[in-house]
Amino acid sequence: MNAERVVDDPVGSLDAVPFMRELGAVLVHADAGSSELVLDLEPRHMNSWGVGHGGVVMALLDVAMARAGRTMERHATGTVTVEMKTSFFAPARGRLRALGRVLHRSITMAYCEAELLDGDGKLVAKAMGTFKFLRRLEAAPRVR
């Protein structure tokens, strides 16, 4: 991956998320209710048609929205996806850019959208989702 590591991200890189590390996604930006992730598709990311797998597409959209939402709550150390809807428009090819943004936030939730663009800037998929703000200490006892 030849994308630059994040320099303006107040909520950390993707290094703490093992699945994103495994995918090779890079967080480019996350601040003020928006985020950007990039991923250069490799053979391991493909489906049987030779294009980016839908699970990879959805994972990028999910994390783009979650990171955008997380920038809106300074006490949150994480977010969890409450619900997400994704529409697919074109095959995922080349370098993918996931752009997330917050549409609305409440005290405990962020309502977000994200778009995934291919290397030519063509819209591949769009998602909307709801994310709950959590402090890591609140979530840890419930998930172990």
Side-chain angles (χ1 to χ4, degrees):
M1 167 85 27
N2 48 5
E4 291 182 27
R5 287 289 168 180
V6 73
V7 293
D8 63 345
D9 175 24
V11 292
S13 70
L14 298 178
D15 292 342
V17 184
F19 183 65
M20 285 292 111
R21 256 194 342 259
E22 182 66 28
L23 281 180
V26 174
L27 181 63
V28 176
H29 163 84
D31 191 30
S34 69
S35 71
E36 179 180 355
L37 283 70
V38 295
L39 173 70
D40 290 326
L41 285 176
E42 299 175 10
R44 65 190 173 125
H45 300 125
M46 303 303 177
N47 64 18
S48 60
W49 295 88
V51 296
H53 189 281
V56 172
V57 168
M58 290 184 73
L60 291 170
L61 291 166
D62 178 57
V63 173
M65 290 187 291
R67 285 297 168 135
R70 198 167 141 191
T71 67
M72 301 300 288
E73 175 52 52
R74 64 185 171 97
H75 298 296
T77 57
T79 56
V80 293
T81 308
V82 174
E83 61 84 28
M84 179 177 167
K85 181 207 183 297
T86 304
S87 297
F88 296 85
F89 302 111
R93 294 187 170 102
R95 170 170 274 200
L96 302 179
R97 288 179 56 221
L99 305 170
R101 88 180 172 103
V102 175
L103 299 171
H104 177 75
R105 71 163 295 219
S106 69
I107 293 170
T108 60
M109 305 269 217
Y111 305 89
C112 304
E113 69 177 1
E115 293 183 343
L116 189 74
L117 308 174
D118 69 11
D120 295 325
K122 184 176 180 181
L123 182 63
V124 170
K126 185 167 179 105
M128 293 188 74
T130 305
F131 299 83
K132 181 168 177 45
F133 302 125
L134 289 181
R135 291 185 179 101
R136 190 167 300 277
L137 294 176
E138 292 173 356
R142 293 188 291 231
V143 295
R144 291 186 195 264

